[in-house]
Amino acid sequence: MAELPRIISVDDHVVEPPTVWTDRLPSRYQDVCPRVVRAPMGEITFVGGKLTVAPGSQGAPTDWWYYEELRRPLLRLDSAVGVPRDEVTMRGITYEEMRPGSYQVGPRLEDMDANHTEASLCFPTFPRFCGQTFSEASDKELALLCVRAYNDWMVEEWCGPEAGGRLIPLTLVPLWDVELAAAEVRRNAERGVRAVCFSEIPPFLGLPSVHDPHQYWDPFFRACEETGTVVNMHIGSSSKMPSTSADAPPAVGSTLTHSNATYSMVDYLFSGVLVRFPRLQLAYAEGQIGWIPYILERADTVWEENRGWGGVAERVPEPPSVYFRRQITGCFFDDAHGLRSVDEIGVDNITYESDYPHSDSTWPRTREIAEEQMKDLTDDQRERIVRGNAIRLYGLDLG
Amino acid sequence: MAELPRIISVDDHVVEPPTVWTDRLPSRYQDVCPRVVRAPMGEITFVGGKLTVAPGSQGAPTDWWYYEELRRPLLRLDSAVGVPRDEVTMRGITYEEMRPGSYQVGPRLEDMDANHTEASLCFPTFPRFCGQTFSEASDKELALLCVRAYNDWMVEEWCGPEAGGRLIPLTLVPLWDVELAAAEVRRNAERGVRAVCFSEIPPFLGLPSVHDPHQYWDPFFRACEETGTVVNMHIGSSSKMPSTSADAPPAVGSTLTHSNATYSMVDYLFSGVLVRFPRLQLAYAEGQIGWIPYILERADTVWEENRGWGGVAERVPEPPSVYFRRQITGCFFDDAHGLRSVDEIGVDNITYESDYPHSDSTWPRTREIAEEQMKDLTDDQRERIVRGNAIRLYGLDLG
């Protein structure tokens, strides 16, 4: 067996440095745009899955993002690598308490070197997985500037010259206006960006669905297809997490984190979006892959049984699995059943992730874990999964 | 390869004959209890996943169930076997338009004979999959009598002497009162019943969850455990079907029908119910099985990673898959990936179904389909799946 090729992780995270927005927004927005304030930690509670927390008069010093009325502390969960698992809780932290690779390019590259990782695609933290923070803001003029400032920072600094092509730019769009979103995709594509964040299930954010009879999202999808921009959907990008009841323990939701990705994938397969945009590429992040064989088989069966009278065949002329193989990629970090099912999923539809710096991260043991997980795969299968598929999908200049 | 053993189908359906309730309820309830009235079909529409329909002044003659204010037509979908697929629509029908095996014992046994099927467990139609029709009714005194009348008919007539032990009694409980539910389980167990219907996700019906801190459902589970009564949960028994948006085509929901069973199984695995009641048996109907390997692996991982600090270990001392193997059974009729994963699921945790007389039914080709689906299994595996596991689970006297 050949040595494991250097890994390309397509699901990591960056904690934005304090001056991303204050460096870039006009002076009139300095007191309202996202900025970092150090203040004591107050009470922190989750109500209805939503953080309700504000700085208190006592408690450990904590760095807070202030933005309009929002007060959002940096949390141990935002940057958990290198921290003993027992200490990974909901408590607030400062930048100094984080591993520097969480928010600085140089240390991040060093941590990647220590983890056999050549390149990394990083999702945002303060903006949330597809920029929901900005789509929920009151001042949409400011919010648009914030989205653009994030993208400028992402391209010019996080993925700037210091990164040497090893940090892959992943951008945001203003979710609340599809024409602005399409324009932002094109603006970033002109400077080489090939990846954008999107929501698994837009209706959960109060937005039109991918089944919208007026094909609301088509300008966005068209911009992505025409520019070769991959649509990246992280678990949690529907804001609503899977739940059975308010009193279910957190382990229930953790076991079901794939569900919104599953729902989303089925949505796309029957939506016609992948028919209208045959070169559009969708990538699911942190959804794992072991559930995909069942879904593809079931979707093909439902398609076959209903195409005669359900209007399915007009919208989706070929079996759903055809579109999956052509246009969808799943991603995993721990999924033995998925790896036993590589041939059923399609070896070209699978990528790998280390989830740095979150609590689930396999850093700094990603290489050993990958070697152990994939010991029954061929060299060629391993190469595609940990590296080759990502190079092709994101058009990386890594050879 | 040996001949396929005669099949025991653990998920079929019975359309209740017109006089189930009028034969059994006191005269004062004759005008309000469930009864059949023939009237023209009116407009039939689905609003918010709910049938809104009433008899009209014109349209095809249709048999309607009248119960309190409810007007529910018999539908082609209720009894679709023997009908060309193109004709299986939401239209109303009469009893005479149904295949007699849908509601008569003798013809049912003949249809089972024609389908290599020895025994069958049948879910209700008018009461819905766990008796939601009665739990939604206004007059709960009447509703309780209706539940008991259904069970009396189920035991004395549907599974009476004519059935010769080939129709397995499956009963209802009054979902709205856990003490009455436990009493009904015991009443039926005294006459040999070993199976009861329940909801996958009670909170979706406005009822307490299986995580309820006061362990609301324990009297019901205790009655089931003490009497060896299997808890049967059919897809749809949460009333709410999986959905991503109001404008998603029906194929999306059809592909995702397993989701509530998945959610329910994860609920039970982390609830502690299977710890408190180690002989309780849960059986999922029509949920298929191909998604189970991913869920078991993921649940065990979440359990392992969280048992130190999430309070999981106190509630669930062993990995969730241990409880699955001991106390949960999944059921399928079309699931190639599930069959490739038999060893990961556990061959003793799988049963088979023909779904007679619904539109998905494999009748009258269940034998050929089973032989084709299971051609890569051993004789012993096939025997357990199509027959042996059901005999053990339901304590059937079939040898």
Side-chain angles (χ1 to χ4, degrees), chain A residues 13-299:
Chain A
H13 303 272
V14 59
V15 178
E16 297 79 17
T19 62
V20 166
W21 290 278
T22 48
D23 277 356
R24 288 171 179 77
L25 290 180
S27 57
R28 70 181 185 280
Y29 286 125
Q30 291 294 314
D31 293 336
V32 62
C33 78
R35 62 209 182 273
V36 170
V37 175
R38 185 159 298 181
M41 190 71 204
E43 283 284 302
I44 181 166
T45 51
F46 261 107
V47 175
K50 217 176 153 72
L51 267 175
T52 55
V53 59
S57 56
Q58 49 188 358
T62 295
D63 283 335
W64 294 77
W65 281 105
Y66 281 28
Y67 170 44
E68 294 188 336
E69 303 304 308
L70 181 64
R71 302 291 177 262
R72 198 285 203 193
L74 288 186
L75 295 170
R76 184 77 281 166
L77 284 169
D78 293 326
S79 175
V81 284
V83 176
R85 190 154 183 101
D86 289 356
E87 294 172 23
V88 178
T89 65
M90 291 295 294
R91 76 183 179 85
I93 56 170
T94 64
Y95 277 89
E96 290 77 10
E97 292 175 85
M98 283 193 281
R99 195 167 175 87
S102 304
Y103 60 102
Q104 292 176 359
V105 174
R108 173 64 69 101
L109 297 177
E110 287 171 24
D111 280 353
M112 288 161 60
D113 284 335
N115 200 34
H116 196 60
T117 300
E118 181 164 11
S120 166
L121 183 80
C122 294
F123 285 83
T125 301
F126 173 71
R128 292 160 52 205
F129 293 129
C130 60
Q132 298 104 305
T133 299
F134 301 122
S135 64
E136 292 172 5
S138 305
D139 181 342
K140 285 300 193 290
E141 187 180 347
L142 168 58
L144 178 60
L145 293 177
C146 287
V147 167
R148 290 180 178 158
Y150 178 88
N151 292 339
D152 293 346
W153 167 81
M154 168 63 61
V155 172
E156 294 163 10
E157 297 203 21
W158 185 249
C159 307
E162 188 184 356
R166 296 178 60 194
L167 294 171
I168 307 162
L170 174 58
T171 51
L172 297 174
V173 291
L175 292 169
W176 60 90
D177 184 317
V178 71
E179 296 295 346
L180 291 175
E184 187 61 18
V185 167
R186 294 181 196 278
R187 183 177 82 94
N188 291 311
E190 280 175 18
R191 48 184 173 175
V193 171
R194 294 280 302 265
V196 66
C197 298
F198 195 55
S199 172
E200 296 159 327
I201 308 181
F204 289 180
L205 307 181
L207 297 166
S209 83
V210 296
H211 307 289
D212 178 59
H214 307 293
Q215 306 179 338
Y216 173 83
W217 291 109
D218 276 15
F220 169 70
F221 293 133
R222 187 171 299 114
C224 291
E225 181 178 66
E226 290 180 1
T227 61
T229 299
V230 179
V231 175
N232 294 268
M233 294 175 279
H234 195 285
I235 59 163
S237 59
S238 358
S239 294
K240 191 168 102 175
M241 290 302 281
S243 174
T244 55
S245 66
D247 52 10
V252 171
S254 294
T255 302
L256 295 170
T257 47
H258 71 292
S259 298
N260 286 334
T262 307
Y263 280 39
S264 172
M265 193 180 287
V266 174
D267 258 348
Y268 277 98
L269 292 177
F270 285 107
S271 67
V273 168
L274 304 179
V275 181
R276 296 199 295 282
F277 302 104
R279 289 176 295 119
L280 184 68
Q281 292 291 326
L282 311 178
Y284 288 93
E286 207 169 326
Q288 314 286 5
I289 56 172
W291 48 272
I292 293 176
Y294 171 78
I295 288 294
L296 291 183
E297 179 186 340
R298 175 82 188 153

Side-chain angles (χ1 to χ4, degrees), chain A residues 85 209 211 242 244 247-249 254-255 259 263 267 270 288 293-294 297-298 305 315 335-337 340 344, chain B residues 85 209 211 242 244 247-249 254-255 259 263 267 270 288 293-294 297-298 305 315 334-337 340 344:
Chain A
R85 190 154 183 101
S209 83
H211 307 289
T244 55
D247 52 10
S254 294
T255 302
S259 298
Y263 280 39
D267 258 348
F270 285 107
Q288 314 286 5
Y294 171 78
E297 179 186 340
R298 175 82 188 153
E305 288 181 353
R315 207 167 36 235
D335 195 336
H337 180 71
R340 279 191 289 270
E344 290 173 69
Chain B
R85 194 157 179 95
S209 84
H211 308 288
T244 54
D247 52 10
S254 295
T255 302
S259 298
Y263 280 39
D267 258 348
F270 286 107
Q288 314 285 5
Y294 172 78
E297 178 187 341
R298 175 82 187 155
E305 289 179 352
R315 206 168 37 236
D334 179 16
D335 194 337
H337 180 70
R340 279 191 290 271
E344 290 173 69

Side-chain angles (χ1 to χ4, degrees), chain B residues 134-168:
Chain B
F134 301 121
S135 63
E136 292 171 5
S138 304
D139 181 343
K140 285 300 192 289
E141 186 180 349
L142 168 58
L144 178 61
L145 294 177
C146 287
V147 166
R148 290 181 177 155
Y150 178 88
N151 292 339
D152 293 347
W153 166 81
M154 167 64 60
V155 172
E156 295 162 10
E157 296 204 21
W158 185 249
C159 308
E162 187 183 357
R166 296 178 60 194
L167 295 171
I168 307 162

Side-chain angles (χ1 to χ4, degrees), chain B residues 285-340:
Chain B
E286 208 169 325
Q288 314 285 5
I289 57 171
W291 49 271
I292 293 177
Y294 172 78
I295 288 295
L296 291 182
E297 178 187 341
R298 175 82 187 155
D300 280 359
T301 301
V302 167
W303 179 86
E304 180 67 36
E305 289 179 352
N306 293 279
R307 64 188 170 134
W309 53 281
V312 172
E314 293 95 80
R315 206 168 37 236
V316 185
E318 295 187 86
S321 62
V322 169
Y323 304 96
F324 172 83
R325 296 261 151 59
R326 189 174 75 188
Q327 297 179 258
I328 301 181
T329 304
C331 173
F332 78 101
F333 60 87
D334 179 16
D335 194 337
H337 180 70
L339 285 168
R340 279 191 290 271

Side-chain angles (χ1 to χ4, degrees), chain B residues 64-78:
Chain B
W64 294 76
W65 281 105
Y66 281 28
Y67 170 46
E68 294 189 336
E69 303 304 308
L70 181 65
R71 302 290 178 263
R72 199 281 204 196
L74 288 185
L75 295 169
R76 184 77 282 167
L77 283 169
D78 294 326

